[in-house]
Amino acid sequence: MTDLTQELKSEEKETTHTIKTKITLEITGAALFSSLSIVVGALLMPTITNLLRIPGWFIAIIDLISLIWVACFFLFGVRAGLLCCIVGAFGLMPFDLSAPIGPLMKLAATVSLIIVPIIFLKLYKKEPGVRKSQKLKKIKNIVLYGVLGMLLRIVVMVLLNILVFLTVFSVYLDQISLAFLGLPEVTGLTAVIIGAPLINAWQSGLDLIIPYIIVFGGKLDQQFEIW
């Protein structure tokens, strides 16, 4: 009986240690990737955004910040991914001329994209020896979750764009156009309603595909095996 008790206590201690180690790795990963996104936002994004800006809009055709946040989620898991997004968004505010609107919009877009796979992964019953990241790694799963996440992001961002351009940025509404589609004559709220879904669909694809290739294609998930 004594041996059994000691064995159970040993297993409990080992489990507790493993959980603490996992949480420490998640926090560390979130800190590193959020810091990286802040550095990129402060030093690189102003130049890159100007070079790759979508004509008639205030955003670039590719968002390096979101790529970093999604990569953190793929590599370190749910808690790390969400923490990275939140810390990164608030850390960007001193360097973003559109703050707090710009960073908060970026936060809303990225979280809307990854919240769907997060919910589905929570529904999976834990299988011994099978990490949840491996569920996400399956092509059919990431495609399904990605499409649903993209649709959610489009709905959220269209509504937020309409709200923002009718209030805080109303002075810029007439500058918004569909020139990037060869329709410079389409401006204002009509351009927002048509353009926002297209831009967010495009960026959603990049935000998922590029980090997926880096993390899972590069087998970084197998080296860390965090979640």
Side-chain angles (χ1 to χ4, degrees), residues 21-200:
T21 301
K22 182 174 180 292
I23 292 176
T24 299
L25 288 172
E26 289 175 349
I27 294 175
T28 301
L32 289 173
F33 275 68
S34 60
S35 298
L36 176 60
S37 71
I38 294 170
V39 171
V40 169
L43 300 181
L44 298 181
M45 280 306 290
T47 301
I48 293 176
T49 299
N50 288 332
L51 291 175
L52 301 178
R53 187 184 301 278
I54 297 174
W57 292 74
F58 300 103
I59 55 179
I61 196 169
I62 180 171
D63 189 342
L64 299 181
I65 306 299
S66 293
L67 297 182
I68 295 171
W69 292 352
V70 175
C72 181
F73 163 56
F74 283 164
L75 190 56
F76 292 96
V78 173
R79 284 175 295 203
L82 292 175
L83 182 60
C84 177
C85 291
I86 294 170
V87 174
F90 282 92
L92 285 170
M93 289 189 182
F95 311 103
D96 194 315
L97 295 177
S98 64
I101 301 301
L104 290 179
M105 293 281 279
K106 195 185 303 291
L107 174 64
T110 307
V111 171
S112 297
L113 183 63
I114 66 176
I115 198 66
V116 171
I118 286 174
I119 292 173
F120 273 94
L121 289 174
K122 286 291 184 183
L123 297 178
Y124 275 114
K125 293 181 65 176
K126 187 174 182 180
E127 301 176 22
V130 179
R131 292 179 289 112
K132 285 191 174 181
S133 62
Q134 300 311 295
K135 296 284 188 181
L136 190 60
K137 185 176 183 178
K138 293 182 178 179
I139 295 295
K140 64 177 183 180
N141 287 343
I142 192 61
V143 169
L144 174 62
Y145 305 157
V147 170
L148 293 177
M150 180 188 299
L151 293 175
L152 176 60
R153 171 172 169 169
I154 288 172
V155 172
V156 170
M157 296 313 295
V158 168
L159 293 176
L160 287 180
N161 271 281
I162 292 174
L163 176 63
V164 166
F165 281 111
L166 287 180
T167 55
V168 183
F169 287 168
S170 59
V171 67
Y172 300 110
L173 183 57
D174 291 338
Q175 298 179 28
I176 300 298
S177 74
L178 295 183
F180 69 100
L181 294 178
L183 300 170
E185 68 279 3
V186 180
T187 62
L189 195 58
T190 302
V192 172
I193 294 174
I194 298 174
L198 297 176
I199 293 171
N200 278 279

